[in-house]
């Protein structure tokens, strides 16, 4: 269809260097001209490995897309997304990064979307969603290290909407606070706790997002 796309979510994190094996594929198609169901139907029509099933969610009108994998009855769920859905920013095609010959969303917006997922999962009433916040947090910590190592910075993604960036900055502060409280509960780690926290959260997020140095020793 002549449309550009980029990978986000767990697969995007994996391609940047995270070690967790994702359970599904999140694909953002860079278009405002087609809806999700139209894009799913196009894939099913063009490739027999794609198929859809009715959603199990009560009242749902959409279908869930899967891709057949090698082996007996093996499939992978594929979420086809477009800009605007779940606050996903429009990524200019010249900003898409290619890793292992696959198109991936740039690291900073990918990280901000991970922070959004972490925040949403924490606030969810569903226990299965709440459980995902811990996986999100591990992905975020790894992505922060990778972002610092690569010299990534908000100044390099001035094309991102200011509302998306501002919301991300607020989530960074909440994430810092959450990680500080989590680590401070481990009293037995002694003095190394503060050093570990500064290395993993405060230093990385402040370098990547220009945040003030927070004295987490006063939190509690």
């Amino acid at each position: 269809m002549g449309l550009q796309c980029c990978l986000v979510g767990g697969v995007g994190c994996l391609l940047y260097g995270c070690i967790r094996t994702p359970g599904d594929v999140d694909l953002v198609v860079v278009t405002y001209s087609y809806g999700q169901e139209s894009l799913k139907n196009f894939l099913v029509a063009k490739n027999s490995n794609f198929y859809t099933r009715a959603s199990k969610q009560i009242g749902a009108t959409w279908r869930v897309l899967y891709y057949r994998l090698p082996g007996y009855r093996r499939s992978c769920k594929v979420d086809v997304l477009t800009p605007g859905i779940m606050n996903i920013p429009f990524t200019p095609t010249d900003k898409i990064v290619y890793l292992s010959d696959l198109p991936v969303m740039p690291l900073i917006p990918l990280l901000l979307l991970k922070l959004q997922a972490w925040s949403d999962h924490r606030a969810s009433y569903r226990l299965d969603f709440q459980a995902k916040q811990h996986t999100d947090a591990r992905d975020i910590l790894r992505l922060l290290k990778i972002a610092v190592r690569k010299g990534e910075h908000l100044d390099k993604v001035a094309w991102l909407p200011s509302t998306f960036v501002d919301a991300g900055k607020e989530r960074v502060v909440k994430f810092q606070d959450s990680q500080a409280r989590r680590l401070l509960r481990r009293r037995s780690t002694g003095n190394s706790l503060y050093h570990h926290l500064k290395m993993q959260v405060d230093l990385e997020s402040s370098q990547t997002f220009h945040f003030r140095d927070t004295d987490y020793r006063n939190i509690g």
Side-chain angles (χ1 to χ4, degrees):
M1 298 175 72
L3 300 174
Q4 294 290 330
C5 64
C6 58
L7 292 157
V8 293
V11 175
C13 294
L14 177 68
L15 289 168
Y16 274 110
C18 291
I19 58 176
R20 179 176 64 87
T21 301
D24 58 10
V25 174
D26 297 310
L27 183 70
V28 176
V29 182
V30 187
T31 181
Y32 288 121
S33 300
Y34 299 91
Q36 291 172 279
E37 298 309 303
S38 296
L39 293 168
K40 293 175 191 176
N41 292 336
F42 173 80
L43 290 170
V44 171
K46 292 294 183 179
N47 189 322
S48 60
N49 285 320
F50 285 105
Y51 65 96
T52 62
R53 291 177 181 169
S55 172
K56 294 181 181 179
Q57 186 169 327
I58 298 175
T61 58
W62 62 86
R63 297 183 67 82
V64 181
L65 181 68
Y66 293 87
Y67 185 84
R68 292 184 180 88
L69 298 172
Y72 180 68
R73 302 189 70 172
R74 294 182 66 241
S75 295
C76 176
K77 186 165 76 74
V78 182
D79 288 328
V80 177
L81 309 164
T82 56
I85 295 174
M86 297 188 296
N87 300 315
I88 294 173
F90 185 95
T91 303
T93 56
D94 63 336
K95 303 298 184 183
I96 294 175
V97 179
Y98 283 82
L99 301 172
S100 300
D101 295 326
L102 295 171
V104 192
M105 180 172 281
L107 182 51
I108 292 297
L110 176 68
L111 178 51
L112 291 176
L113 285 175
K114 260 296 169 182
L115 279 162
Q116 176 179 281
W118 169 81
S119 179
D120 291 347
H121 288 150
R122 289 184 78 207
S124 176
Y125 65 91
R126 289 178 49 172
L127 294 179
D128 57 333
F129 280 10
Q130 291 179 21
K132 291 182 178 181
Q133 66 176 291
H134 307 297
T135 300
D136 295 330
R138 288 191 290 270
D139 286 343
I140 291 166
L141 289 171
R142 293 188 183 106
L143 286 178
L144 280 169
K145 290 183 178 180
I146 294 167
V148 171
R149 187 174 70 244
K150 289 180 173 290
E152 296 288 347
H153 199 280
L154 275 176
D155 291 345
K156 296 182 179 181
V157 286
W159 49 270
L160 286 173
S162 59
T163 52
F164 178 72
V165 173
D166 290 343
K169 287 180 177 180
E170 292 180 4
R171 294 186 183 108
V172 168
V173 174
K174 292 178 181 178
F175 182 76
Q176 288 176 319
D177 180 67
S178 171
Q179 292 300 299
R181 291 178 184 277
R182 180 182 67 83
L183 291 175
L184 282 172
R185 284 194 293 268
R186 301 179 182 178
R187 300 287 183 180
S188 61
T189 58
N191 294 331
S192 64
L193 171 64
Y194 180 65
H195 174 72
H196 177 71
L197 174 64
K198 299 293 287 183
M199 290 297 293
Q200 281 206 8
V201 181
D202 191 19
L203 175 63
E204 289 154 350
S205 57
S206 63
Q207 288 187 26
T208 304
F209 296 104
H210 270 195
F211 267 80
R212 57 182 170 75
D213 186 24
T214 304
D215 188 352
Y216 290 116
R217 289 168 295 186
N218 295 326
I219 297 176

PDB file of all heavy atoms in Angstrom, residues 55-89:
ATOM      1  N   SER A  55     -12.535 -10.670  18.884  1.00  0.00           N
ATOM      2  CA  SER A  55     -12.036 -10.336  20.210  1.00  0.00           C
ATOM      3  C   SER A  55     -12.917 -10.970  21.282  1.00  0.00           C
ATOM      4  O   SER A  55     -14.141 -11.058  21.136  1.00  0.00           O
ATOM      5  CB  SER A  55     -12.010  -8.818  20.399  1.00  0.00           C
ATOM      6  OG  SER A  55     -11.695  -8.482  21.729  1.00  0.00           O
ATOM      7  N   LYS A  56     -12.289 -11.416  22.367  1.00  0.00           N
ATOM      8  CA  LYS A  56     -13.028 -12.011  23.479  1.00  0.00           C
ATOM      9  C   LYS A  56     -13.609 -10.949  24.414  1.00  0.00           C
ATOM     10  O   LYS A  56     -14.366 -11.264  25.314  1.00  0.00           O
ATOM     11  CB  LYS A  56     -12.104 -12.940  24.271  1.00  0.00           C
ATOM     12  CG  LYS A  56     -11.643 -14.154  23.477  1.00  0.00           C
ATOM     13  CD  LYS A  56     -10.744 -15.044  24.322  1.00  0.00           C
ATOM     14  CE  LYS A  56     -10.264 -16.257  23.532  1.00  0.00           C
ATOM     15  NZ  LYS A  56      -9.361 -17.123  24.342  1.00  0.00           N
ATOM     16  N   GLN A  57     -13.229  -9.700  24.188  1.00  0.00           N
ATOM     17  CA  GLN A  57     -13.720  -8.636  25.051  1.00  0.00           C
ATOM     18  C   GLN A  57     -15.207  -8.395  24.797  1.00  0.00           C
ATOM     19  O   GLN A  57     -15.652  -8.300  23.654  1.00  0.00           O
ATOM     20  CB  GLN A  57     -12.930  -7.348  24.801  1.00  0.00           C
ATOM     21  CG  GLN A  57     -13.275  -6.224  25.761  1.00  0.00           C
ATOM     22  CD  GLN A  57     -12.288  -5.073  25.648  1.00  0.00           C
ATOM     23  OE1 GLN A  57     -11.106  -5.289  25.379  1.00  0.00           O
ATOM     24  NE2 GLN A  57     -12.765  -3.851  25.848  1.00  0.00           N
ATOM     25  N   ILE A  58     -15.967  -8.286  25.853  1.00  0.00           N
ATOM     26  CA  ILE A  58     -17.416  -8.101  25.743  1.00  0.00           C
ATOM     27  C   ILE A  58     -17.726  -6.786  25.021  1.00  0.00           C
ATOM     28  O   ILE A  58     -17.196  -5.734  25.375  1.00  0.00           O
ATOM     29  CB  ILE A  58     -18.070  -8.112  27.141  1.00  0.00           C
ATOM     30  CG1 ILE A  58     -17.847  -9.471  27.810  1.00  0.00           C
ATOM     31  CG2 ILE A  58     -19.561  -7.797  27.041  1.00  0.00           C
ATOM     32  CD1 ILE A  58     -18.344  -9.530  29.241  1.00  0.00           C
ATOM     33  N   GLY A  59     -18.561  -6.879  24.010  1.00  0.00           N
ATOM     34  CA  GLY A  59     -18.966  -5.697  23.269  1.00  0.00           C
ATOM     35  C   GLY A  59     -17.991  -5.253  22.198  1.00  0.00           C
ATOM     36  O   GLY A  59     -18.227  -4.238  21.523  1.00  0.00           O
ATOM     37  N   ALA A  60     -16.893  -5.976  22.020  1.00  0.00           N
ATOM     38  CA  ALA A  60     -15.884  -5.578  21.039  1.00  0.00           C
ATOM     39  C   ALA A  60     -16.404  -5.760  19.614  1.00  0.00           C
ATOM     40  O   ALA A  60     -17.065  -6.756  19.303  1.00  0.00           O
ATOM     41  CB  ALA A  60     -14.615  -6.395  21.238  1.00  0.00           C
ATOM     42  N   THR A  61     -16.077  -4.807  18.765  1.00  0.00           N
ATOM     43  CA  THR A  61     -16.453  -4.881  17.350  1.00  0.00           C
ATOM     44  C   THR A  61     -15.240  -5.144  16.464  1.00  0.00           C
ATOM     45  O   THR A  61     -15.389  -5.277  15.258  1.00  0.00           O
ATOM     46  CB  THR A  61     -17.124  -3.571  16.913  1.00  0.00           C
ATOM     47  OG1 THR A  61     -16.225  -2.472  17.147  1.00  0.00           O
ATOM     48  CG2 THR A  61     -18.412  -3.344  17.705  1.00  0.00           C
ATOM     49  N   TRP A  62     -14.068  -5.194  17.057  1.00  0.00           N
ATOM     50  CA  TRP A  62     -12.856  -5.394  16.267  1.00  0.00           C
ATOM     51  C   TRP A  62     -12.427  -6.857  16.324  1.00  0.00           C
ATOM     52  O   TRP A  62     -12.898  -7.641  17.123  1.00  0.00           O
ATOM     53  CB  TRP A  62     -11.740  -4.509  16.805  1.00  0.00           C
ATOM     54  CG  TRP A  62     -11.348  -4.815  18.222  1.00  0.00           C
ATOM     55  CD1 TRP A  62     -10.440  -5.744  18.652  1.00  0.00           C
ATOM     56  CD2 TRP A  62     -11.869  -4.201  19.409  1.00  0.00           C
ATOM     57  NE1 TRP A  62     -10.351  -5.753  20.027  1.00  0.00           N
ATOM     58  CE2 TRP A  62     -11.213  -4.812  20.515  1.00  0.00           C
ATOM     59  CE3 TRP A  62     -12.818  -3.204  19.642  1.00  0.00           C
ATOM     60  CZ2 TRP A  62     -11.491  -4.451  21.828  1.00  0.00           C
ATOM     61  CZ3 TRP A  62     -13.078  -2.847  20.957  1.00  0.00           C
ATOM     62  CH2 TRP A  62     -12.430  -3.449  22.025  1.00  0.00           C
ATOM     63  N   ARG A  63     -11.504  -7.197  15.434  1.00  0.00           N
ATOM     64  CA  ARG A  63     -10.934  -8.529  15.393  1.00  0.00           C
ATOM     65  C   ARG A  63      -9.452  -8.448  15.735  1.00  0.00           C
ATOM     66  O   ARG A  63      -8.801  -7.421  15.536  1.00  0.00           O
ATOM     67  CB  ARG A  63     -11.139  -9.165  13.997  1.00  0.00           C
ATOM     68  CG  ARG A  63     -12.617  -9.364  13.666  1.00  0.00           C
ATOM     69  CD  ARG A  63     -12.795 -10.048  12.315  1.00  0.00           C
ATOM     70  NE  ARG A  63     -12.308 -11.424  12.298  1.00  0.00           N
ATOM     71  CZ  ARG A  63     -13.002 -12.466  12.735  1.00  0.00           C
ATOM     72  NH1 ARG A  63     -14.217 -12.297  13.233  1.00  0.00           N
ATOM     73  NH2 ARG A  63     -12.501 -13.685  12.671  1.00  0.00           N
ATOM     74  N   VAL A  64      -8.935  -9.547  16.273  1.00  0.00           N
ATOM     75  CA  VAL A  64      -7.538  -9.606  16.702  1.00  0.00           C
ATOM     76  C   VAL A  64      -6.722 -10.282  15.610  1.00  0.00           C
ATOM     77  O   VAL A  64      -7.095 -11.355  15.112  1.00  0.00           O
ATOM     78  CB  VAL A  64      -7.407 -10.379  18.029  1.00  0.00           C
ATOM     79  CG1 VAL A  64      -5.947 -10.406  18.481  1.00  0.00           C
ATOM     80  CG2 VAL A  64      -8.286  -9.743  19.095  1.00  0.00           C
ATOM     81  N   LEU A  65      -5.611  -9.658  15.246  1.00  0.00           N
ATOM     82  CA  LEU A  65      -4.761 -10.155  14.163  1.00  0.00           C
ATOM     83  C   LEU A  65      -3.668 -11.063  14.707  1.00  0.00           C
ATOM     84  O   LEU A  65      -3.045 -10.765  15.729  1.00  0.00           O
ATOM     85  CB  LEU A  65      -4.132  -8.976  13.424  1.00  0.00           C
ATOM     86  CG  LEU A  65      -3.226  -9.309  12.236  1.00  0.00           C
ATOM     87  CD1 LEU A  65      -4.029  -9.893  11.075  1.00  0.00           C
ATOM     88  CD2 LEU A  65      -2.478  -8.050  11.782  1.00  0.00           C
ATOM     89  N   TYR A  66      -3.436 -12.179  14.003  1.00  0.00           N
ATOM     90  CA  TYR A  66      -2.372 -13.116  14.355  1.00  0.00           C
ATOM     91  C   TYR A  66      -1.549 -13.439  13.116  1.00  0.00           C
ATOM     92  O   TYR A  66      -2.027 -13.309  11.985  1.00  0.00           O
ATOM     93  CB  TYR A  66      -2.936 -14.423  14.922  1.00  0.00           C
ATOM     94  CG  TYR A  66      -3.623 -14.269  16.253  1.00  0.00           C
ATOM     95  CD1 TYR A  66      -4.970 -13.937  16.329  1.00  0.00           C
ATOM     96  CD2 TYR A  66      -2.920 -14.460  17.442  1.00  0.00           C
ATOM     97  CE1 TYR A  66      -5.611 -13.797  17.552  1.00  0.00           C
ATOM     98  CE2 TYR A  66      -3.550 -14.332  18.671  1.00  0.00           C
ATOM     99  CZ  TYR A  66      -4.897 -13.996  18.719  1.00  0.00           C
ATOM    100  OH  TYR A  66      -5.529 -13.852  19.925  1.00  0.00           O
ATOM    101  N   TYR A  67      -0.324 -13.907  13.368  1.00  0.00           N
ATOM    102  CA  TYR A  67       0.543 -14.374  12.287  1.00  0.00           C
ATOM    103  C   TYR A  67       1.021 -15.783  12.621  1.00  0.00           C
ATOM    104  O   TYR A  67       1.506 -16.039  13.732  1.00  0.00           O
ATOM    105  CB  TYR A  67       1.765 -13.451  12.134  1.00  0.00           C
ATOM    106  CG  TYR A  67       2.649 -13.812  10.959  1.00  0.00           C
ATOM    107  CD1 TYR A  67       2.355 -13.351   9.682  1.00  0.00           C
ATOM    108  CD2 TYR A  67       3.769 -14.622  11.142  1.00  0.00           C
ATOM    109  CE1 TYR A  67       3.165 -13.684   8.607  1.00  0.00           C
ATOM    110  CE2 TYR A  67       4.578 -14.961  10.075  1.00  0.00           C
ATOM    111  CZ  TYR A  67       4.264 -14.492   8.807  1.00  0.00           C
ATOM    112  OH  TYR A  67       5.054 -14.831   7.741  1.00  0.00           O
ATOM    113  N   ARG A  68       0.857 -16.696  11.675  1.00  0.00           N
ATOM    114  CA  ARG A  68       1.268 -18.089  11.894  1.00  0.00           C
ATOM    115  C   ARG A  68       2.783 -18.197  11.909  1.00  0.00           C
ATOM    116  O   ARG A  68       3.475 -17.663  11.052  1.00  0.00           O
ATOM    117  CB  ARG A  68       0.699 -18.987  10.791  1.00  0.00           C
ATOM    118  CG  ARG A  68      -0.810 -19.132  10.829  1.00  0.00           C
ATOM    119  CD  ARG A  68      -1.311 -20.106   9.776  1.00  0.00           C
ATOM    120  NE  ARG A  68      -2.766 -20.237   9.826  1.00  0.00           N
ATOM    121  CZ  ARG A  68      -3.600 -19.438   9.159  1.00  0.00           C
ATOM    122  NH1 ARG A  68      -3.106 -18.482   8.384  1.00  0.00           N
ATOM    123  NH2 ARG A  68      -4.908 -19.592   9.265  1.00  0.00           N
ATOM    124  N   LEU A  69       3.288 -18.937  12.894  1.00  0.00           N
ATOM    125  CA  LEU A  69       4.719 -19.175  13.023  1.00  0.00           C
ATOM    126  C   LEU A  69       5.037 -20.629  12.670  1.00  0.00           C
ATOM    127  O   LEU A  69       4.151 -21.483  12.711  1.00  0.00           O
ATOM    128  CB  LEU A  69       5.169 -18.889  14.456  1.00  0.00           C
ATOM    129  CG  LEU A  69       4.975 -17.445  14.943  1.00  0.00           C
ATOM    130  CD1 LEU A  69       5.282 -17.360  16.432  1.00  0.00           C
ATOM    131  CD2 LEU A  69       5.856 -16.491  14.165  1.00  0.00           C
ATOM    132  N   PRO A  70       6.280 -20.915  12.333  1.00  0.00           N
ATOM    133  CA  PRO A  70       6.652 -22.300  12.045  1.00  0.00           C
ATOM    134  C   PRO A  70       6.393 -23.196  13.251  1.00  0.00           C
ATOM    135  O   PRO A  70       6.573 -22.792  14.400  1.00  0.00           O
ATOM    136  CB  PRO A  70       8.149 -22.207  11.742  1.00  0.00           C
ATOM    137  CG  PRO A  70       8.366 -20.786  11.314  1.00  0.00           C
ATOM    138  CD  PRO A  70       7.400 -19.980  12.115  1.00  0.00           C
ATOM    139  N   GLY A  71       5.973 -24.404  13.007  1.00  0.00           N
ATOM    140  CA  GLY A  71       5.672 -25.330  14.082  1.00  0.00           C
ATOM    141  C   GLY A  71       4.178 -25.586  14.189  1.00  0.00           C
ATOM    142  O   GLY A  71       3.364 -24.942  13.524  1.00  0.00           O
ATOM    143  N   TYR A  72       3.820 -26.515  15.037  1.00  0.00           N
ATOM    144  CA  TYR A  72       2.428 -26.941  15.153  1.00  0.00           C
ATOM    145  C   TYR A  72       1.619 -25.945  15.968  1.00  0.00           C
ATOM    146  O   TYR A  72       1.895 -25.705  17.148  1.00  0.00           O
ATOM    147  CB  TYR A  72       2.362 -28.330  15.798  1.00  0.00           C
ATOM    148  CG  TYR A  72       0.957 -28.860  15.963  1.00  0.00           C
ATOM    149  CD1 TYR A  72       0.184 -29.210  14.852  1.00  0.00           C
ATOM    150  CD2 TYR A  72       0.405 -28.991  17.234  1.00  0.00           C
ATOM    151  CE1 TYR A  72      -1.102 -29.693  15.004  1.00  0.00           C
ATOM    152  CE2 TYR A  72      -0.886 -29.488  17.402  1.00  0.00           C
ATOM    153  CZ  TYR A  72      -1.629 -29.834  16.267  1.00  0.00           C
ATOM    154  OH  TYR A  72      -2.918 -30.296  16.420  1.00  0.00           O
ATOM    155  N   ARG A  73       0.625 -25.354  15.344  1.00  0.00           N
ATOM    156  CA  ARG A  73      -0.329 -24.440  15.989  1.00  0.00           C
ATOM    157  C   ARG A  73       0.375 -23.338  16.774  1.00  0.00           C
ATOM    158  O   ARG A  73       0.037 -23.031  17.924  1.00  0.00           O
ATOM    159  CB  ARG A  73      -1.278 -25.223  16.897  1.00  0.00           C
ATOM    160  CG  ARG A  73      -2.058 -26.297  16.167  1.00  0.00           C
ATOM    161  CD  ARG A  73      -3.129 -26.911  17.031  1.00  0.00           C
ATOM    162  NE  ARG A  73      -4.216 -25.946  17.283  1.00  0.00           N
ATOM    163  CZ  ARG A  73      -5.359 -26.271  17.890  1.00  0.00           C
ATOM    164  NH1 ARG A  73      -5.568 -27.504  18.309  1.00  0.00           N
ATOM    165  NH2 ARG A  73      -6.284 -25.365  18.080  1.00  0.00           N
ATOM    166  N   ARG A  74       1.361 -22.723  16.158  1.00  0.00           N
ATOM    167  CA  ARG A  74       2.073 -21.605  16.778  1.00  0.00           C
ATOM    168  C   ARG A  74       1.708 -20.321  16.047  1.00  0.00           C
ATOM    169  O   ARG A  74       1.777 -20.254  14.817  1.00  0.00           O
ATOM    170  CB  ARG A  74       3.586 -21.817  16.734  1.00  0.00           C
ATOM    171  CG  ARG A  74       4.083 -22.980  17.563  1.00  0.00           C
ATOM    172  CD  ARG A  74       5.595 -23.089  17.498  1.00  0.00           C
ATOM    173  NE  ARG A  74       6.256 -21.951  18.118  1.00  0.00           N
ATOM    174  CZ  ARG A  74       7.070 -21.124  17.473  1.00  0.00           C
ATOM    175  NH1 ARG A  74       7.315 -21.298  16.188  1.00  0.00           N
ATOM    176  NH2 ARG A  74       7.639 -20.114  18.103  1.00  0.00           N
ATOM    177  N   SER A  75       1.331 -19.306  16.806  1.00  0.00           N
ATOM    178  CA  SER A  75       0.968 -18.017  16.227  1.00  0.00           C
ATOM    179  C   SER A  75       1.439 -16.892  17.136  1.00  0.00           C
ATOM    180  O   SER A  75       1.700 -17.098  18.327  1.00  0.00           O
ATOM    181  CB  SER A  75      -0.543 -17.908  16.026  1.00  0.00           C
ATOM    182  OG  SER A  75      -0.996 -18.850  15.077  1.00  0.00           O
ATOM    183  N   CYS A  76       1.526 -15.710  16.570  1.00  0.00           N
ATOM    184  CA  CYS A  76       1.923 -14.525  17.317  1.00  0.00           C
ATOM    185  C   CYS A  76       0.890 -13.431  17.088  1.00  0.00           C
ATOM    186  O   CYS A  76       0.494 -13.163  15.950  1.00  0.00           O
ATOM    187  CB  CYS A  76       3.298 -14.057  16.837  1.00  0.00           C
ATOM    188  SG  CYS A  76       3.859 -12.533  17.611  1.00  0.00           S
ATOM    189  N   LYS A  77       0.422 -12.805  18.169  1.00  0.00           N
ATOM    190  CA  LYS A  77      -0.523 -11.703  18.038  1.00  0.00           C
ATOM    191  C   LYS A  77       0.190 -10.476  17.504  1.00  0.00           C
ATOM    192  O   LYS A  77       1.317 -10.172  17.903  1.00  0.00           O
ATOM    193  CB  LYS A  77      -1.171 -11.385  19.383  1.00  0.00           C
ATOM    194  CG  LYS A  77      -2.272 -10.334  19.301  1.00  0.00           C
ATOM    195  CD  LYS A  77      -3.112 -10.330  20.566  1.00  0.00           C
ATOM    196  CE  LYS A  77      -2.391  -9.664  21.714  1.00  0.00           C
ATOM    197  NZ  LYS A  77      -2.339  -8.185  21.561  1.00  0.00           N
ATOM    198  N   VAL A  78      -0.454  -9.781  16.597  1.00  0.00           N
ATOM    199  CA  VAL A  78       0.108  -8.579  15.986  1.00  0.00           C
ATOM    200  C   VAL A  78      -0.865  -7.428  16.211  1.00  0.00           C
ATOM    201  O   VAL A  78      -1.996  -7.461  15.713  1.00  0.00           O
ATOM    202  CB  VAL A  78       0.357  -8.775  14.474  1.00  0.00           C
ATOM    203  CG1 VAL A  78       0.980  -7.513  13.878  1.00  0.00           C
ATOM    204  CG2 VAL A  78       1.248  -9.984  14.226  1.00  0.00           C
ATOM    205  N   ASP A  79      -0.432  -6.427  16.958  1.00  0.00           N
ATOM    206  CA  ASP A  79      -1.238  -5.229  17.159  1.00  0.00           C
ATOM    207  C   ASP A  79      -0.851  -4.192  16.108  1.00  0.00           C
ATOM    208  O   ASP A  79       0.293  -3.704  16.099  1.00  0.00           O
ATOM    209  CB  ASP A  79      -1.027  -4.659  18.557  1.00  0.00           C
ATOM    210  CG  ASP A  79      -1.659  -5.513  19.638  1.00  0.00           C
ATOM    211  OD1 ASP A  79      -2.704  -6.131  19.355  1.00  0.00           O
ATOM    212  OD2 ASP A  79      -1.117  -5.575  20.744  1.00  0.00           O
ATOM    213  N   VAL A  80      -1.791  -3.877  15.228  1.00  0.00           N
ATOM    214  CA  VAL A  80      -1.566  -2.871  14.199  1.00  0.00           C
ATOM    215  C   VAL A  80      -2.117  -1.546  14.712  1.00  0.00           C
ATOM    216  O   VAL A  80      -3.314  -1.416  14.968  1.00  0.00           O
ATOM    217  CB  VAL A  80      -2.246  -3.265  12.871  1.00  0.00           C
ATOM    218  CG1 VAL A  80      -2.051  -2.175  11.833  1.00  0.00           C
ATOM    219  CG2 VAL A  80      -1.678  -4.587  12.372  1.00  0.00           C
ATOM    220  N   LEU A  81      -1.244  -0.580  14.871  1.00  0.00           N
ATOM    221  CA  LEU A  81      -1.590   0.706  15.454  1.00  0.00           C
ATOM    222  C   LEU A  81      -1.339   1.825  14.450  1.00  0.00           C
ATOM    223  O   LEU A  81      -0.589   1.648  13.483  1.00  0.00           O
ATOM    224  CB  LEU A  81      -0.768   0.948  16.720  1.00  0.00           C
ATOM    225  CG  LEU A  81      -0.794  -0.189  17.752  1.00  0.00           C
ATOM    226  CD1 LEU A  81       0.337  -0.025  18.756  1.00  0.00           C
ATOM    227  CD2 LEU A  81      -2.145  -0.231  18.455  1.00  0.00           C
ATOM    228  N   THR A  82      -1.943   2.972  14.702  1.00  0.00           N
ATOM    229  CA  THR A  82      -1.717   4.155  13.871  1.00  0.00           C
ATOM    230  C   THR A  82      -1.490   5.350  14.792  1.00  0.00           C
ATOM    231  O   THR A  82      -1.878   5.326  15.966  1.00  0.00           O
ATOM    232  CB  THR A  82      -2.910   4.426  12.940  1.00  0.00           C
ATOM    233  OG1 THR A  82      -4.108   4.549  13.717  1.00  0.00           O
ATOM    234  CG2 THR A  82      -3.075   3.309  11.912  1.00  0.00           C
ATOM    235  N   PRO A  83      -0.869   6.411  14.298  1.00  0.00           N
ATOM    236  CA  PRO A  83      -0.632   7.597  15.127  1.00  0.00           C
ATOM    237  C   PRO A  83      -1.934   8.123  15.728  1.00  0.00           C
ATOM    238  O   PRO A  83      -2.970   8.137  15.083  1.00  0.00           O
ATOM    239  CB  PRO A  83      -0.030   8.603  14.138  1.00  0.00           C
ATOM    240  CG  PRO A  83       0.621   7.747  13.096  1.00  0.00           C
ATOM    241  CD  PRO A  83      -0.290   6.564  12.944  1.00  0.00           C
ATOM    242  N   GLY A  84      -1.844   8.548  16.985  1.00  0.00           N
ATOM    243  CA  GLY A  84      -3.012   9.052  17.693  1.00  0.00           C
ATOM    244  C   GLY A  84      -3.611   8.027  18.629  1.00  0.00           C
ATOM    245  O   GLY A  84      -4.133   8.373  19.689  1.00  0.00           O
ATOM    246  N   ILE A  85      -3.564   6.755  18.238  1.00  0.00           N
ATOM    247  CA  ILE A  85      -4.045   5.694  19.122  1.00  0.00           C
ATOM    248  C   ILE A  85      -3.083   5.563  20.298  1.00  0.00           C
ATOM    249  O   ILE A  85      -1.873   5.483  20.113  1.00  0.00           O
ATOM    250  CB  ILE A  85      -4.158   4.362  18.362  1.00  0.00           C
ATOM    251  CG1 ILE A  85      -5.234   4.466  17.279  1.00  0.00           C
ATOM    252  CG2 ILE A  85      -4.458   3.213  19.300  1.00  0.00           C
ATOM    253  CD1 ILE A  85      -5.316   3.258  16.394  1.00  0.00           C
ATOM    254  N   MET A  86      -3.600   5.568  21.515  1.00  0.00           N
ATOM    255  CA  MET A  86      -2.781   5.478  22.726  1.00  0.00           C
ATOM    256  C   MET A  86      -1.689   6.553  22.745  1.00  0.00           C
ATOM    257  O   MET A  86      -0.575   6.331  23.220  1.00  0.00           O
ATOM    258  CB  MET A  86      -2.165   4.082  22.861  1.00  0.00           C
ATOM    259  CG  MET A  86      -3.182   2.972  23.013  1.00  0.00           C
ATOM    260  SD  MET A  86      -2.465   1.367  23.385  1.00  0.00           S
ATOM    261  CE  MET A  86      -1.533   1.064  21.893  1.00  0.00           C
ATOM    262  N   ASN A  87      -2.020   7.710  22.183  1.00  0.00           N
ATOM    263  CA  ASN A  87      -1.099   8.856  22.162  1.00  0.00           C
ATOM    264  C   ASN A  87       0.181   8.590  21.373  1.00  0.00           C
ATOM    265  O   ASN A  87       1.205   9.266  21.595  1.00  0.00           O
ATOM    266  CB  ASN A  87      -0.742   9.293  23.588  1.00  0.00           C
ATOM    267  CG  ASN A  87      -1.948   9.700  24.397  1.00  0.00           C
ATOM    268  OD1 ASN A  87      -2.808  10.426  23.911  1.00  0.00           O
ATOM    269  ND2 ASN A  87      -2.038   9.223  25.625  1.00  0.00           N
ATOM    270  N   ILE A  88       0.147   7.648  20.464  1.00  0.00           N
ATOM    271  CA  ILE A  88       1.327   7.352  19.656  1.00  0.00           C
ATOM    272  C   ILE A  88       1.608   8.532  18.728  1.00  0.00           C
ATOM    273  O   ILE A  88       0.728   8.973  17.985  1.00  0.00           O
ATOM    274  CB  ILE A  88       1.118   6.073  18.823  1.00  0.00           C
ATOM    275  CG1 ILE A  88       0.996   4.872  19.757  1.00  0.00           C
ATOM    276  CG2 ILE A  88       2.268   5.866  17.837  1.00  0.00           C
ATOM    277  CD1 ILE A  88       0.612   3.591  19.042  1.00  0.00           C
ATOM    278  N   PRO A  89       2.817   9.082  18.759  1.00  0.00           N
ATOM    279  CA  PRO A  89       3.125  10.239  17.915  1.00  0.00           C
ATOM    280  C   PRO A  89       3.331   9.841  16.458  1.00  0.00           C
ATOM    281  O   PRO A  89       3.703   8.698  16.162  1.00  0.00           O
ATOM    282  CB  PRO A  89       4.425  10.779  18.523  1.00  0.00           C
ATOM    283  CG  PRO A  89       5.089   9.568  19.092  1.00  0.00           C
ATOM    284  CD  PRO A  89       3.970   8.686  19.606  1.00  0.00           C
TER     285      PRO A  89
END
